[in-house]
Amino acid sequence: MNLQAPFQSPARAADPREARRQIREGLHTGHTAGLAPGYLQGNLVILPAEHALDFFRFCQRNPKPCPLVGVSDTGNPDLFTLGTDVDIRTDVPSYNIFRDGVLTESVPDIKALWGEDSVAFVIGCSFTFEQALVTDGIRLRHWDDDTTVSMYRTSIQTTPAGPFRGEMVVSMRPMTMANAIKAAAITARFPHAHGAPVHIGDPAQIGIADIAKPDFGDPTPIEDGEVPVFWACGVTPQRTVLEAKLPLVITHTPGHMLVTDIPGYEAGGG
Amino acid sequence: MNLQAPFQSPARAADPREARRQIREGLHTGHTAGLAPGYLQGNLVILPAEHALDFFRFCQRNPKPCPLVGVSDTGNPDLFTLGTDVDIRTDVPSYNIFRDGVLTESVPDIKALWGEDSVAFVIGCSFTFEQALVTDGIRLRHWDDDTTVSMYRTSIQTTPAGPFRGEMVVSMRPMTMANAIKAAAITARFPHAHGAPVHIGDPAQIGIADIAKPDFGDPTPIEDGEVPVFWACGVTPQRTVLEAKLPLVITHTPGHMLVTDIPGYEAGGG
């Protein structure tokens, strides 16, 4: 996820409704990191209804990489379960359009593409738990260095549903083992933001040959006394959907999420 | 839920695969309380595919009354995500058949009714968290008295999806406030078994006029020093589906659940 696009916003809105208004009116076109802190942000996948039931199953069967936080009615762009006046056609700063699995363009709204049979899925993302880790005193190297988190393909297989299948993609954050244990306990409280780690330590055990060479994002040096900690990553459902090569799939542009009205902690509650 | 049917089983199987084998072969026809202790049991709702996407949404939007633990592929009776060799046509001791919202019969298998377009939804139930409460020393009056838990219609509205809507049904267990606080913390760890309570104390606040007159189940006396503790109840999705008056809906017969291979604690994990 490229989080390094320059800020293009009058000011980082603290209120999620104000953030969406700025996005909708074209006043905020950059990434959403730091917008409406404490509110859940989500990844977006829009599919035609004929594939929605299988994708719903895929998310239900793979909750760590695909923690569903909201699903639209068919053809209705109002995601009323995620906030007041959320129009999924306009309220994400940038959308990626994929045809037959190939990225054809990035656009600032999808008014022309949303149809009667469109279904929008919003999936929790790691912003939520990263905020909790930093609040609890665990430093994140990619925050300190302003890089994109390291992501890797693994040998962990997802549970398939219809055309959706494939390996899990994970993100990696290096830290001391003491912090890894603490981070496991903290993130377990956020099942809607990928939950507890899927692995700590030896990358080879989950099929990662070279930790210095991530498949996505930037490399992250692992310093003496640190272990790599791996979490299921929201890139998993995106890759899965693209590899199914559907005629039309719409996602958010990486880093440009939907800002919801849901407090981050609420989504993790019991 | 009528849990008072006599045991009709050669022995209470401790292993979930053995429990399902006995059920499949007609050796166990009674309720499933106490079968395969420690393994998650589930409520069952089977719908035609045309209504499956809306019911999936209803469950996603109302996770406390409708905690989904598994969903079949369309037309495939093998619920492979819930265990080894689970055949949803035969592995529940008794099924209720509803036509246009009316119970027409209870049958020991649904081989003749399962079709190419059938989709089975399995929803977590309170057995899981009740075991945890009792293990942690909280006595449950309906266990001690061998009655059915008290259930009530409330003024709490579910979030609708397509034809599925209506009020939440809750179950009630009386206990001291000290135990209620402990029970809230314990059940919060079981989001797949209705999670934390939806209310503690004054029944009128959730629209219950007379706590002595449950809408379903048996009355449960509240003794001096006790408060009523309310949890979202799996009767909610059943009532919702029946009130939609679909031509054919199949559920488990109350108390006669699907026994899965999922350890109870795992389903509650992060």
Side-chain angles (χ1 to χ4, degrees):
Chain A
M1 283 175 273
N2 173 20
L3 301 180
Q4 292 136 331
F7 287 158
Q8 297 173 35
S9 170
R12 301 260 104 187
D15 177 79
R17 289 157 294 273
E18 172 63 12
R20 289 197 302 274
R21 185 192 67 78
Q22 291 180 4
I23 291 167
R24 190 180 311 143
E25 296 182 3
L27 302 172
H28 178 100
T29 59
H31 70 73
T32 54
L35 270 189
Y39 290 90
L40 190 144
Q41 298 197 9
N43 297 310
L44 176 66
V45 173
I46 299 174
L47 299 169
E50 67 175 307
H51 297 292
L53 187 55
D54 276 327
F55 189 65
F56 223 139
R57 288 184 179 104
F58 185 77
C59 294
Q60 194 277 327
R61 293 173 185 177
N62 299 283
K64 281 200 159 186
C66 316
L68 268 185
V69 295
V71 181
S72 77
D73 289 334
T74 302
N76 180 1
D78 180 1
L79 264 69
F80 61 91
T81 64
L82 295 180
T84 303
D85 195 22
V86 179
D87 188 333
I88 202 61
R89 299 170 300 182
T90 54
D91 289 6
V92 165
S94 180
Y95 300 81
N96 280 359
I97 313 303
F98 296 86
R99 299 177 195 276
D100 302 317
V102 177
L103 176 66
T104 57
E105 59 199 311
S106 296
V107 296
D109 73 68
I110 54 164
K111 288 182 204 165
L113 289 167
W114 180 267
E116 295 270 304
D117 74 332
S118 297
V119 181
F121 293 82
V122 178
I123 296 171
C125 81
S126 57
F127 277 9
T128 303
F129 81 69
E130 289 190 341
Q131 285 179 345
L133 293 177
V134 169
T135 300
D136 280 3
I138 296 177
R139 296 187 72 156
L140 299 175
R141 181 123 342 114
H142 67 291
W143 282 37
D144 290 345
D145 296 350
D146 195 21
T147 56
T148 300
V149 73
S150 303
M151 292 168 274
Y152 306 84
R153 300 169 60 178
T154 69
S155 55
I156 304 169
Q157 290 301 305
T158 60
T159 304
F164 306 114
R165 61 189 60 242
E167 77 250 0
M168 189 187 294
V169 175
V170 298
S171 59
M172 186 279 289
R173 294 161 187 79
M175 56 188 75
T176 64
M177 183 57 92
N179 274 346
I181 291 166
K182 194 171 158 187
I186 293 168
T187 55
R189 289 168 40 226
F190 295 91
H192 285 115
H194 305 307
V198 293
H199 186 58
I200 296 176
D202 183 9
Q205 286 194 21
I206 56 172
I208 298 172
D210 186 349
I211 196 72
K213 293 183 180 164
D215 294 298
F216 315 97
D218 296 315
T220 310
I222 299 175
E223 300 184 352
D224 280 353
E226 289 186 334
V227 289
V229 185
F230 300 93
W231 277 268
C233 177
V235 169
T236 311
Q238 292 228 357
R239 275 177 56 84
T240 299
V241 165
L242 299 186
E243 287 177 5
K245 300 195 194 309
L246 310 183
L248 176 66
V249 170
I250 302 169
T251 73
H252 67 292
T253 300
H256 300 63
M257 320 292 211
L258 177 69
V259 178
T260 77
D261 290 359
I262 301 175
Y265 282 86
E266 188 176 298
Chain B
M1 283 174 274
N2 174 20
L3 302 181
Q4 291 135 336
F7 287 158
Q8 297 173 35
S9 170
R12 302 260 103 187
D15 177 79
R17 289 156 294 273
E18 173 62 12
R20 290 197 302 274
R21 186 193 67 79
Q22 291 181 5
I23 291 166
R24 191 180 311 144
E25 295 182 3
L27 302 173
H28 178 102
T29 59
H31 69 74
T32 53
L35 270 190
Y39 290 91
L40 191 144
Q41 297 197 10
N43 297 310
L44 177 65
V45 173
I46 299 175
L47 300 169
E50 66 175 308
H51 296 293
L53 187 54
D54 276 328
F55 189 65
F56 223 138
R57 287 184 180 106
F58 185 79
C59 294
Q60 194 276 327
R61 292 174 186 177
N62 300 282
K64 281 201 159 185
C66 316
L68 269 184
V69 295
V71 181
S72 77
D73 289 334
T74 303
N76 180 1
D78 179 1
L79 263 69
F80 61 91
T81 64
L82 295 179
T84 303
D85 195 21
V86 179
D87 188 332
I88 202 60
R89 300 170 300 183
T90 55
D91 288 6
V92 165
S94 181
Y95 300 80
N96 281 358
I97 313 301
F98 297 86
R99 299 178 194 276
D100 302 317
V102 177
L103 176 66
T104 57
E105 59 199 310
S106 295
V107 296
D109 74 66
I110 54 164
K111 288 182 204 166
L113 290 167
W114 179 268
E116 295 269 304
D117 74 332
S118 296
V119 181
F121 292 82
V122 178
I123 296 171
C125 81
S126 57
F127 278 8
T128 303
F129 81 69
E130 288 190 340
Q131 285 178 344
L133 293 177
V134 169
T135 301
D136 280 4
I138 296 177
R139 296 187 71 155
L140 298 175
R141 183 129 332 118
H142 69 290
W143 280 38
D144 290 346
D145 296 351
D146 196 21
T147 56
T148 300
V149 73
S150 303
M151 292 168 273
Y152 305 85
R153 299 169 60 179
T154 70
S155 55
I156 304 169
Q157 290 301 305
T158 58
T159 304
F164 306 114
R165 60 189 61 242
E167 76 252 0
M168 189 187 294
V169 176
V170 298
S171 59
M172 186 279 288
R173 293 160 188 80
M175 55 188 74
T176 63
M177 183 57 92
N179 273 348
I181 292 166
K182 194 172 158 186
I186 293 168
T187 54
R189 289 167 41 225
F190 294 91
H192 286 114
H194 304 307
V198 293
H199 185 57
I200 297 175
D202 183 10
Q205 285 193 23
I206 56 172
I208 298 172
D210 187 348
I211 196 72
K213 293 184 180 163
D215 294 298
F216 316 97
D218 296 317
T220 310
I222 299 176
E223 300 185 351
D224 280 353
E226 289 185 336
V227 289
V229 185
F230 300 93
W231 277 270
C233 178
V235 170
T236 312
Q238 292 227 358
R239 276 178 55 83
T240 299
V241 164
L242 298 186
E243 286 176 6
K245 300 196 194 309
L246 309 184
L248 177 65
V249 169
I250 302 169
T251 73
H252 66 292
T253 300
H256 299 63
M257 320 290 209
L258 176 69
V259 179
T260 77
D261 290 359
I262 301 175
Y265 281 87
E266 187 176 299

